[in-house]
Amino acid sequence: MKEAMHHMENIVAGHLDAWNAPAGPDRTQLIASLYAPDVFVGEPQEAMRGHDGMEQAIARLQAQLPRTRITRSGPIQVAQDMVTYRWSLGAEDGPAVAAGRDVLIVGGGKVTRLYVVIDAS
């Protein structure tokens, strides 16, 4: 049980690292190592697939809200192959500009599905 939780914590940490990483080979490598090749990315306004879809989702967020970071703001909760946690988005030393919850489905050691839920303002 502890080993499974530790694995999910590592996946969440890597996921947040990928979403906070600038464009380039490091982010590309993080995406390839964390997400299944056909990963589904479900956001409120759009759904994408694959590593290219993940890259597009991250790039779009960083372009819309430059100089912000996503940080985990609540405990990690695990049920079988699902992991979820609350997050906030904002400048490192400023207030959050958005908050929500990620739901990740993990299979074969990689994220196969990501659902992004944004809290209403």
Side-chain angles (χ1 to χ4, degrees):
M1 181 79 155
K2 275 187 165 183
E3 187 176 316
M5 184 62 171
H6 181 70
H7 177 67
M8 292 300 202
E9 288 172 349
N10 287 339
I11 286 176
V12 169
H15 170 69
L16 292 172
D17 287 347
W19 279 77
N20 288 321
D26 289 343
R27 184 164 79 197
T28 300
Q29 183 177 350
L30 278 168
I31 289 171
S33 69
L34 287 165
Y35 305 102
D38 62 345
V39 62
F40 172 83
V41 183
E43 295 186 323
Q45 302 300 322
E46 188 173 2
M48 294 153 278
R49 282 207 172 269
H51 291 167
D52 288 343
M54 184 65 69
E55 174 63 38
Q56 291 169 4
I58 295 169
R60 184 177 61 233
L61 175 66
Q62 290 182 358
Q64 288 173 343
L65 298 165
R67 295 178 300 283
T68 58
R69 293 186 56 75
I70 299 173
T71 56
R72 188 167 56 86
S73 60
I76 294 172
Q77 298 171 296
V78 177
Q80 305 303 318
D81 63 347
M82 183 203 76
V83 60
T84 186
Y85 60 90
R86 298 195 57 71
W87 53 261
S88 63
L89 174 72
E92 278 192 51
D93 57 353
V97 296
R101 174 175 295 278
D102 280 351
V103 177
L104 299 107
I105 307 299
V106 178
K110 295 195 175 199
V111 177
T112 60
R113 300 180 81 75
L114 162 64
Y115 297 93
V116 179
V117 181
I118 299 172
D119 291 345
S121 42

